[in-house]
Amino acid sequence: MSDVAAALESVQARLDAIERGAAPHDAPPARTVDPAGGKWWLLDRLDEQRIAYGGRVGVAEGDVVWQLEHPAGDVLEGDLGRAANVLGAMGHPLRLEILKHLLQGARTLGDLQEIPGLGTTGQLNHHLRELRGAGLVESRRRNDYAVPADRVVPLLTMIAAALGRELT
C-alpha cells in the first residue's frame, strides 16, 4: 500500500506544479537545456524563479569559497548599465588573459608584461584601468594587482557560461 501512497503523492505534486504553472524538477519543460545529463542537483535545491552560483576555488591568493542566490526578477531589474560595464571590461581577449594571469599568481606590471601579445606598458595600464573600473581587479599598493576575493567565483562563472559546453 505504501507504493500506491507514494505514487499518489508524486502525481499530486506534479498536478500542483502544473496548476502553479511550474514543472517539477524531474519533468522539466520542453525548452529546458540540461548540460548535466538529467542530474538537476542545483535546481532541486532552489525555490522557483531563482538563480544561484557559487564555487570553491584555489587561487594564488588562497582558497575562495563563495555562493550567491537571487530571485530571477531582481536580476532583470538590476543595473544593466553596470552589467554592461563589467561584461564590456571582460570582452577583450587580452583583459581575459590579464585576469587569468592574476588568478594564477601574477601580481606586478612586470609579471603581466610577460603575457604574449600584450603590447606596451601604456596598453597594459589601459586594460588594467578598464578592469579596475569594472571592479574585477584591485590595486592594493603601487604595482600590486589582484582579483578581489568576492569577484573570483563570479568571474569564473561568467567565463564558464560563455564557454558553455566547450568545457565538457
Side-chain angles (χ1 to χ4, degrees):
M1 188 65 174
S2 64
D3 289 340
V4 172
L8 284 173
E9 279 185 38
S10 175
V11 169
Q12 185 62 52
R14 290 176 185 207
L15 285 173
D16 291 345
I18 291 168
E19 288 175 353
R20 285 191 320 268
H25 298 307
D26 60 345
R31 295 189 64 205
T32 297
V33 176
D34 178 15
K39 298 174 184 136
W40 295 99
W41 54 270
L42 177 61
L43 294 180
D44 287 339
R45 291 168 177 80
L46 288 177
D47 293 332
E48 293 179 28
Q49 302 299 313
R50 300 187 72 77
I51 62 158
Y53 51 103
R56 181 183 313 266
V57 183
V59 294
E61 299 289 311
D63 288 343
V64 175
V65 179
W66 196 87
Q67 66 182 12
L68 192 59
E69 180 181 350
H70 300 286
D74 288 0
V75 174
L76 297 175
E77 296 299 322
D79 183 350
L80 296 181
R82 172 78 179 126
N85 184 41
V86 172
L87 294 171
M90 291 178 61
H92 193 287
L94 287 176
R95 291 188 198 135
L96 289 173
E97 281 293 325
I98 291 169
L99 292 166
K100 178 177 96 174
H101 280 74
L102 288 172
L103 290 169
Q104 293 175 332
R107 295 179 57 114
T108 67
L109 285 175
D111 294 335
L112 295 172
Q113 284 177 315
E114 302 290 322
I115 299 171
L118 187 63
T120 67
T121 302
Q123 290 168 321
L124 172 57
N125 281 319
H126 166 75
H127 291 306
L128 285 169
R129 192 170 33 257
E130 292 292 320
L131 292 168
R132 283 194 319 263
L136 297 171
V137 169
E138 62 185 8
S139 178
R140 296 180 183 162
R141 294 179 300 280
R142 187 169 187 237
N143 196 31
D144 182 24
Y145 300 93
V147 175
D150 68 336
R151 301 301 278 174
V152 170
V153 172
L155 173 64
L156 291 172
T157 301
M158 288 186 279
I159 293 169
L163 292 172
R165 291 189 174 183
E166 289 181 32
L167 294 174
T168 57

